[in-house]
Amino acid sequence: MKKIITFGTFDVFHVGHVKILQRAAALGDHLTVGISSDALNKSKKGRFPIYSQQSRMEIIAAMGCVDHVFVEESLELKGQYIKQFESDALVMGDDWKGKFDHFESQCEVIYMPRTPSVSTTEIIEVVRTTPDLDPG
Ligand code: CTP
């Protein structure tokens, strides 16, 4: 059985998220997803996600291709998570290309092309700046 692991915030769930999870799952037999905690996002990006970690976990867990979700409490623990979940491959979008090569001693490291033209940051920006969408 080949076990895959991937990580992300997965805030304001969109088609780029669907596709990377489906493609990651297709590389193996079991997919574990680490959802970065609200506190981790606050400390790294200076703001909390729109959706809480509980909601983000429920959304990802509802996907048929996902077998297990957990909260990623610290970026520094990736190696431990890979060990804990006995992952054979770490899959990340290619916005992270090269950043996780040091895990190659533990497992296969695969970067997948991002889905073009969609990101959580852009969706938030569109909602924020489109007057007709502004409830206020
Ligand atoms: N991802 C992707 N294609 C996109 C957007 C994201 O394949 N268009 C992948 C990322 O490469 C990552 C995973 O989805 O492996 C989770 O990414 P995340 O950072 O949560 O989503 P983004 O939309 O990139 O969020 P942000 O704009 O806040 O960076």
Side-chain angles (χ1 to χ4, degrees), residues 6-12 14-21 23 36 41 45 47 91-96 112-124:
T6 191
F7 297 89
T9 304
F10 299 99
D11 191 24
V12 189
H14 59 65
V15 70
H17 295 148
V18 173
K19 285 186 190 301
I20 194 149
L21 294 174
R23 286 183 296 161
S36 57
N41 277 274
K45 297 186 182 172
R47 66 166 181 82
V91 173
M92 297 296 295
D94 63 6
D95 42 329
W96 294 101
M112 298 206 125
R114 278 172 70 92
T115 301
S117 310
V118 61
S119 76
T120 297
T121 304
E122 190 190 304
I123 294 166
I124 293 171

Side-chain angles (χ1 to χ4, degrees), residues 52-67:
S52 69
Q53 67 190 44
Q54 183 58 35
S55 295
R56 290 180 286 118
M57 283 184 70
E58 287 183 35
I59 291 166
I60 301 301
M63 283 202 61
C65 66
V66 173
D67 298 290

Side-chain angles (χ1 to χ4, degrees), residues 8-51:
T9 304
F10 299 99
D11 191 24
V12 189
F13 193 62
H14 59 65
V15 70
H17 295 148
V18 173
K19 285 186 190 301
I20 194 149
L21 294 174
Q22 289 177 335
R23 286 183 296 161
L27 295 174
D29 309 298
H30 183 279
L31 177 62
T32 295
V33 185
I35 312 286
S36 57
S37 72
D38 291 340
L40 184 53
N41 277 274
K42 175 71 174 158
S43 74
K44 296 288 168 189
K45 297 186 182 172
R47 66 166 181 82
F48 287 108
I50 304 289
Y51 298 166

